[in-house]
Amino acid sequence: GGISFLVVMDIFAKRNLSQLRVFTKISLLMTGILIATGFLVFWMGQGFQRPFDALFQSVTCRTAGFATIDQDKLSVVNKVFSCFLMFFGGNPLGTAGGVKTTTLYIIVLAMICYLTGRKVTSFHRRYSNEVIVKAMSLVILGVSVIFLSFIGIYAFESKMDVAALGLQSTKASALIYEVFSAFGTVGVSAGVTPHLS
């Protein structure tokens, strides 16, 4: 579901990398980069004893919602990176949540091209300023929704004591993790969701 139905159909229809749609190439590229980067960050940042746990965490944070490790026990770096993966989620035209990998691709591409003084092009295609502004607007809107949701839940849960629940996280970090998970329709939890009012 996170890879996109269109990507799967394109791969089976074309079977030749050079014939794939630009959308498919970008989706596969971003999926590979996010999984590999997530694996390295989780494995090195947390010191996972089994590499599979780091790989699984990298994949599950993008939309799956399963967990092989206790999310509450993640390091701060790994919680932040998990939130990053949950925010961007999977590819468009699939069942994943988030603002999508193609949005991240366009923003990073635009920043690189602007810094190097080139036109925003990729895979022999030029991207207009309108596309770039839409991508940035989507990210700003997503961050705004997350921020306002966090403020609202934090206010409603003013009496919550995470230490009494046996959690290692602070109240703020546990709640922000839940909000990112909900925004990306991921389903992982630092353990506070069952205790929300």
Side-chain angles (χ1 to χ4, degrees):
I3 196 74
S4 171
F5 300 117
L6 183 61
V7 170
V8 173
M9 290 187 316
D10 198 27
I11 289 171
F12 282 110
K14 307 284 175 44
R15 297 176 192 251
N16 186 338
L17 193 60
S18 62
Q19 295 178 338
L20 294 176
R21 295 178 180 158
V22 172
F23 170 77
T24 301
K25 291 177 183 177
I26 292 171
S27 296
L28 292 174
L29 175 68
M30 290 306 295
T31 297
I33 288 172
L34 290 175
I35 289 173
T37 305
F39 168 74
L40 291 173
V41 169
F42 292 127
W43 197 34
M44 295 167 72
Q46 188 73 27
F48 284 97
Q49 293 183 351
R50 297 183 307 167
F52 176 77
D53 286 334
L55 179 64
F56 194 84
Q57 181 73 11
S58 178
V59 173
T60 199
C61 281
R62 301 219 7 258
T63 194
F66 301 109
T68 57
I69 56 157
D70 186 353
Q71 303 295 301
D72 180 50
K73 292 186 171 81
L74 288 174
S75 68
V76 173
V77 171
N78 285 347
K79 278 188 179 175
V80 169
F81 197 76
S82 293
C83 289
F84 170 81
L85 291 176
M86 289 188 277
F87 181 74
F88 286 102
N91 299 321
L93 304 173
T95 59
V99 297
K100 308 301 181 198
T101 58
T102 51
T103 303
L104 175 62
Y105 180 81
I106 291 296
I107 291 172
V108 171
L109 177 68
M111 289 189 320
I112 291 169
C113 290
Y114 286 141
L115 289 173
T116 57
R118 296 181 292 131
K119 296 197 183 295
V120 184
T121 58
S122 176
F123 295 107
H124 309 293
R125 180 172 287 179
R126 184 163 180 234
Y127 295 95
S128 67
N129 288 337
E130 183 181 353
V131 169
I132 297 164
V133 169
K134 280 183 182 179
M136 291 182 177
S137 298
L138 186 59
V139 168
I140 291 169
L141 181 63
V143 169
S144 301
V145 167
I146 287 171
F147 177 74
L148 292 173
S149 299
F150 169 71
I151 295 296
I153 292 174
Y154 196 87
F156 281 117
E157 300 301 330
S158 59
K159 295 178 182 169
M160 176 180 277
D161 183 9
V162 291
L165 300 174
L167 300 176
Q168 294 179 354
S169 303
T170 63
K171 178 178 159 184
S173 69
L175 290 177
I176 196 73
Y177 198 81
E178 306 299 301
V179 170
F180 270 98
S181 180
F183 178 82
T185 64
V186 176
V188 292
S189 174
V192 75
T193 294
H195 308 285
L196 296 176
S197 63

